[in-house]
Amino acid sequence: MTIRDILEKILNNYLQEKDKSFKNNEFARLLRSGLKEAVSDDFLAGNIRTKGSAGKGNWATVPWIGLFDAAISTSATKGFDIVYLFSPDMSSVYLSLNQGWTFFNDTYGRNEKNNISKVSRYWQSTLANRTDRMTTEPIDLTSSLQNKNNLVSGYELGNIFSIKYDSDNLPDNDQLLIDLKDMLFCLNEIKADLINEKNLQQNIDYILSLDLNLNPLLNNNNIKKIAKKIPKIELTETDSKVKEPDKKGRTIDYDALQKQNSMIGFLGEEIVLKYEKNILSMFLIYPKELNTFPKLKETA
């Protein structure tokens, strides 16, 4: 059985199966087995796991099949994962890079929607492995529902990237496999950028504390606010060989910067390096604000 076979069977039969008893239902068992029968063993090597859900005790409004990295998540309720989300009317299925809504709902109370949305936007703006087939457009799982469903709304809010497949126009299996592998690259990138694989809340709280909208036309008050959030970094300045009138050229000891980056860890060295370059560029635009940033160490 291929990925396409599984998706097609669920889309074509789920609504009819919901009229049957949930207990010991073979169709529900198909969903729970995930993609085990559809992908090779090497695809599920290492920490990669797959499983699905047709509901717990009763049929789910939105059944799903997920792919998890056990090092950072083993459940659709917490962490980051790749998941096929089937629309309630079975008109489509989304391949989604997503987050566990239950964690946000249990942890952040009334701020759960704003927080999960902010984390989604953060990864949308930083992940480099996104392909042209992936979109940041919202996924729609609720418009066909007569009654509000908090869990289904959470799936929508937790979406980072997605690819939509209409039930009457599923791609061939080769394309579905390519899309899945591309999403796995994105999941691996998230894993590589986490500051602590074992502490999800530490990672989420860190993202929620960030303000990386470094507009060069920021006013002085905003610059001061950003300065307070910058990790304390000691850099070495030396005069550059090329000088312009009334301007002092500088070269930065990036070895020292990279050592600090490895301690910060969370964003990865490349992203943090870009961040620090933006900060340094603001020194030239706003020289009067230089004293509000971590003091640079002068050398002869």
Side-chain angles (χ1 to χ4, degrees), residues 122 126 193 206 210 212 264-272 275:
Y122 169 78
T126 60
D193 285 348
Y206 188 90
L210 294 176
L212 298 181
I264 298 171
F266 187 80
L267 299 177
E269 291 184 358
E270 181 179 355
I271 296 173
V272 174
Y275 177 77

Side-chain angles (χ1 to χ4, degrees), residues 148-204:
K148 183 178 179 180
N149 186 304
N150 193 48
L151 179 59
V152 175
S153 297
Y155 293 151
E156 293 178 331
L157 293 170
N159 177 64
I160 300 170
F161 298 140
S162 71
I163 302 174
K164 181 181 181 181
Y165 307 123
D166 292 324
S167 60
D168 58 357
N169 191 29
L170 287 176
D172 60 40
N173 194 67
D174 288 342
Q175 183 62 61
L176 291 171
L177 189 57
I178 290 172
D179 290 344
L180 185 59
K181 288 181 177 179
D182 288 339
M183 281 290 185
L184 188 56
F185 281 126
C186 291
L187 182 63
N188 286 337
E189 186 178 352
I190 288 179
K191 178 182 177 181
D193 285 348
L194 295 179
I195 191 171
N196 186 345
E197 292 182 4
K198 303 300 182 182
N199 190 332
L200 176 65
Q201 186 168 351
Q202 182 180 0
N203 296 299
I204 300 302

Side-chain angles (χ1 to χ4, degrees), residues 88-99:
D89 61 2
M90 294 296 127
S91 63
S92 61
V93 57
Y94 293 92
L95 174 62
S96 173
L97 181 63
N98 213 291
Q99 308 173 69

Side-chain angles (χ1 to χ4, degrees), residues 1-11 35 38 84 166-174 176-177:
M1 184 173 286
T2 66
I3 297 176
R4 192 180 192 281
D5 291 337
I6 292 174
L7 299 184
E8 190 172 43
K9 186 170 184 177
I10 295 169
L11 289 167
L35 299 177
Y84 291 98
D166 292 324
S167 60
D168 58 357
N169 191 29
L170 287 176
D172 60 40
N173 194 67
D174 288 342
L176 291 171
L177 189 57

Side-chain angles (χ1 to χ4, degrees), residues 15-284:
L15 295 180
Q16 291 84 352
E17 290 294 325
K18 286 182 69 175
D19 292 331
K20 302 177 183 179
S21 173
F22 183 80
K23 187 177 181 180
N24 298 324
N25 186 282
E26 289 297 325
F27 194 82
R29 289 179 180 174
L30 170 67
L31 272 157
R32 285 194 290 270
S33 67
L35 299 177
K36 292 177 183 177
E37 302 299 323
V39 296
S40 59
D41 290 340
D42 59 341
F43 194 93
L44 299 176
N47 291 319
I48 302 302
R49 306 287 187 270
T50 184
K51 62 181 177 180
S53 176
K56 292 184 178 180
N58 294 295
W59 293 100
T61 302
V62 172
W64 56 264
I65 292 176
L67 201 67
F68 305 89
D69 187 321
I72 59 174
S73 177
T74 57
S75 167
T77 64
K78 182 178 180 180
F80 303 97
D81 53 61
I82 300 167
V83 61
Y84 291 98
L85 295 167
F86 296 84
S87 64
D89 61 2
M90 294 296 127
S91 63
S92 61
V93 57
Y94 293 92
L95 174 62
S96 173
L97 181 63
N98 213 291
Q99 308 173 69
W101 162 252
T102 302
F103 166 80
F104 282 87
N105 192 43
D106 293 345
T107 306
Y108 297 106
R110 294 181 180 180
N111 293 320
E112 77 276 39
K113 293 182 179 179
N114 288 334
N115 287 355
I116 194 172
S117 296
K118 182 174 181 179
V119 174
S120 292
R121 292 194 300 271
Y122 169 78
W123 291 116
Q124 288 168 355
S125 65
T126 60
L127 292 180
N129 283 314
R130 172 188 171 186
T131 69
D132 291 339
R133 286 179 58 79
M134 301 176 193
T135 178
T136 59
E137 292 296 316
I139 61 177
D140 178 17
L141 300 171
T142 57
S143 64
S144 63
L145 297 179
Q146 293 182 349
N147 299 316
K148 183 178 179 180
N149 186 304
N150 193 48
L151 179 59
V152 175
S153 297
Y155 293 151
E156 293 178 331
L157 293 170
N159 177 64
I160 300 170
F161 298 140
S162 71
I163 302 174
K164 181 181 181 181
Y165 307 123
D166 292 324
S167 60
D168 58 357
N169 191 29
L170 287 176
D172 60 40
N173 194 67
D174 288 342
Q175 183 62 61
L176 291 171
L177 189 57
I178 290 172
D179 290 344
L180 185 59
K181 288 181 177 179
D182 288 339
M183 281 290 185
L184 188 56
F185 281 126
C186 291
L187 182 63
N188 286 337
E189 186 178 352
I190 288 179
K191 178 182 177 181
D193 285 348
L194 295 179
I195 191 171
N196 186 345
E197 292 182 4
K198 303 300 182 182
N199 190 332
L200 176 65
Q201 186 168 351
Q202 182 180 0
N203 296 299
I204 300 302
D205 287 346
Y206 188 90
I207 293 174
L208 295 176
S209 73
L210 294 176
D211 183 3
L212 298 181
N213 185 23
L214 297 178
N215 187 329
L217 299 180
L218 287 171
N219 61 42
N220 291 345
N221 288 334
N222 284 338
I223 292 175
K224 291 178 181 179
K225 289 179 181 178
I226 292 173
K228 293 178 181 178
K229 296 181 180 180
I230 299 174
K232 186 176 180 181
I233 300 175
E234 185 175 71
L235 304 178
T236 302
E237 285 189 338
T238 59
D239 292 342
S240 67
K241 296 181 180 180
V242 180
K243 295 185 177 181
E244 297 179 8
D246 301 325
K247 292 184 179 179
K248 184 179 179 180
R250 294 177 177 142
T251 58
I252 303 300
D253 183 357
Y254 282 101
D255 287 337
L257 180 59
Q258 287 180 342
K259 289 180 182 179
Q260 181 64 26
N261 289 343
S262 65
M263 295 174 62
I264 298 171
F266 187 80
L267 299 177
E269 291 184 358
E270 181 179 355
I271 296 173
V272 174
L273 187 58
K274 291 179 181 178
Y275 177 77
E276 297 301 331
K277 285 182 178 179
N278 284 331
I279 294 297
L280 292 175
S281 70
M282 288 198 295
F283 287 170
L284 301 178

